[in-house]
């Protein structure tokens, strides 16, 4: 139905998409494939709180023919979908290489991997800046997950499931035993 809509109106305006948002039919499958993890902040999205989580990586306003293409859909929290907007300065999450983004402890800031090629580091930094991955809300969110782990409120497997980037970085840096001292002083 999406392609039929585009055949009749090849360059839809914002209001034209209403009642033609067929990509929402894929939202449940997208959610399942991503395991409920936002592709931009790498944290779990509660489906009940955010039922519409489809991001068009290439914006439908600029690329209407991709609006219904599975390869252009990403699972994103509404906050990060809005932050990404229509700009091209955000790396495609499906094309990010291993360890391009790192987590700095104890500041919990996301940083580019200094071992990456300079062009990759620049692109990573642009993505961090554009998505505002190091704003206070994101730092506090990461800290909350870690403190819950340090207080034994959640297991490390729970971190792996709900905040995989944090868990990956803790393991990669070998900090499993240092986190408690770093964050709660014991």
């Amino acid at each position: 139905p999406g392609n039929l809509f585009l055949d009749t109106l090849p360059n839809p305006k914002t209001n034209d998409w209403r009642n033609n948002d067929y990509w929402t039919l894929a939202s449940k499958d997208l959610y399942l494939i991503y395991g409920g993890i936002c592709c931009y902040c790498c944290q779990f999205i509660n489906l009940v709180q955010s039922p519409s989580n489809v991001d068009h990586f290439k914006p439908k306003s600029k690329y209407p023919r991709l609006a219904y293409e599975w390869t252009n859909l990403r699972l994103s929290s509404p906050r990060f979908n809005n932050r990404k907007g229509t700009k091209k300065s955000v790396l495609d999450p499906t094309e990010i290489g291993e360890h391009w983004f790192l987590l700095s402890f104890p500041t919990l800031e996301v940083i580019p991997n200094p071992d990456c090629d300079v062009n990759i580091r620049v692109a990573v930094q642009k993505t961090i800046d554009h998505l505002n991955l190091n704003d206070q809300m994101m730092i506090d969110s990461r800290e909350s997950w870690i403190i819950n782990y340090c207080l034994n409120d959640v297991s490390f497997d729970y971190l792996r499931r709900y905040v995989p980037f944090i868990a990956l970085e803790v393991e990669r840096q070998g900090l499993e035993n240092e986190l408690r001292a770093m964050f709660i002083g014991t």
Side-chain angles (χ1 to χ4, degrees), residues 35-96:
I37 303 298
C38 173
C39 70
Y40 298 117
C41 72
C42 207
Q43 293 191 22
F44 183 75
I45 304 168
N46 185 320
L47 187 58
V48 174
Q49 293 173 339
S50 300
S52 179
N53 300 304
V54 178
D55 172 51
H56 295 86
F57 184 73
K58 291 186 177 180
K60 63 185 180 297
S61 61
K62 295 181 180 179
Y63 303 91
R65 278 284 162 200
L66 297 178
Y68 306 106
E69 296 297 322
W70 181 256
T71 58
N72 191 41
L73 304 179
R74 309 288 181 268
L75 182 72
S76 174
S77 71
R79 175 183 308 269
F80 285 95
N81 191 352
N82 288 334
R83 286 183 180 185
K84 185 188 121 290
T86 60
K87 298 195 174 110
K88 296 180 180 181
S89 62
V90 174
L91 288 168
D92 184 343
T94 66
E95 297 176 4
I96 292 173

Side-chain angles (χ1 to χ4, degrees), residues 7 9 13-14 43 45-46 62 71 77 92 107 111 113 115 128 139 149 186:
D7 287 343
L9 190 63
K13 304 295 180 232
T14 301
Q43 293 191 22
I45 304 168
N46 185 320
K62 295 181 180 179
T71 58
S77 71
D92 184 343
T107 66
I111 59 171
N113 185 337
D115 295 334
I128 291 167
I139 301 284
Y149 168 72
T186 60

Side-chain angles (χ1 to χ4, degrees), residues 21-35:
D21 57 349
Y22 302 111
W23 56 82
T24 61
L25 299 173
S27 62
K28 183 177 178 185
D29 290 332
L30 196 63
Y31 189 85
L32 292 172
I33 286 171
Y34 276 78

Side-chain angles (χ1 to χ4, degrees):
N3 287 334
L4 290 175
F5 161 67
L6 290 173
D7 287 343
T8 60
L9 190 63
N11 294 303
K13 304 295 180 232
T14 301
N15 289 338
D16 297 327
W17 292 107
R18 291 186 187 154
N19 300 320
N20 294 295
D21 57 349
Y22 302 111
W23 56 82
T24 61
L25 299 173
S27 62
K28 183 177 178 185
D29 290 332
L30 196 63
Y31 189 85
L32 292 172
I33 286 171
Y34 276 78
I37 303 298
C38 173
C39 70
Y40 298 117
C41 72
C42 207
Q43 293 191 22
F44 183 75
I45 304 168
N46 185 320
L47 187 58
V48 174
Q49 293 173 339
S50 300
S52 179
N53 300 304
V54 178
D55 172 51
H56 295 86
F57 184 73
K58 291 186 177 180
K60 63 185 180 297
S61 61
K62 295 181 180 179
Y63 303 91
R65 278 284 162 200
L66 297 178
Y68 306 106
E69 296 297 322
W70 181 256
T71 58
N72 191 41
L73 304 179
R74 309 288 181 268
L75 182 72
S76 174
S77 71
R79 175 183 308 269
F80 285 95
N81 191 352
N82 288 334
R83 286 183 180 185
K84 185 188 121 290
T86 60
K87 298 195 174 110
K88 296 180 180 181
S89 62
V90 174
L91 288 168
D92 184 343
T94 66
E95 297 176 4
I96 292 173
E98 187 175 36
H99 307 303
W100 285 8
F101 291 78
L102 303 180
L103 189 58
S104 179
F105 289 91
T107 66
L108 300 178
E109 291 182 335
V110 178
I111 59 171
N113 185 337
D115 295 334
C116 287
D117 173 81
V118 67
N119 294 325
I120 291 173
R121 288 195 314 267
V122 168
V124 167
Q125 189 62 56
K126 284 182 181 179
T127 298
I128 291 167
D129 293 343
H130 185 84
L131 294 174
N132 209 0
L133 292 175
N134 290 324
D135 70 358
Q136 195 58 51
M137 181 206 66
M138 287 307 303
I139 301 284
D140 291 347
S141 177
R142 291 182 199 117
E143 183 179 46
S144 176
W145 285 102
I146 290 172
I147 288 179
N148 283 325
Y149 168 72
C150 292
L151 295 173
N152 297 314
D153 291 339
V154 299
S155 67
F156 200 77
D157 284 337
Y158 191 89
L159 290 183
R160 278 190 195 103
R161 166 68 184 94
Y162 291 97
V163 284
F165 176 64
I166 293 172
L168 178 73
E169 282 298 287
V170 168
E171 287 180 313
R172 186 187 66 77
Q173 296 180 43
L175 296 175
E176 296 94 324
N177 297 323
E178 286 88 27
L179 282 182
R180 283 180 178 79
M182 202 180 292
F183 288 94
I184 60 174
T186 60

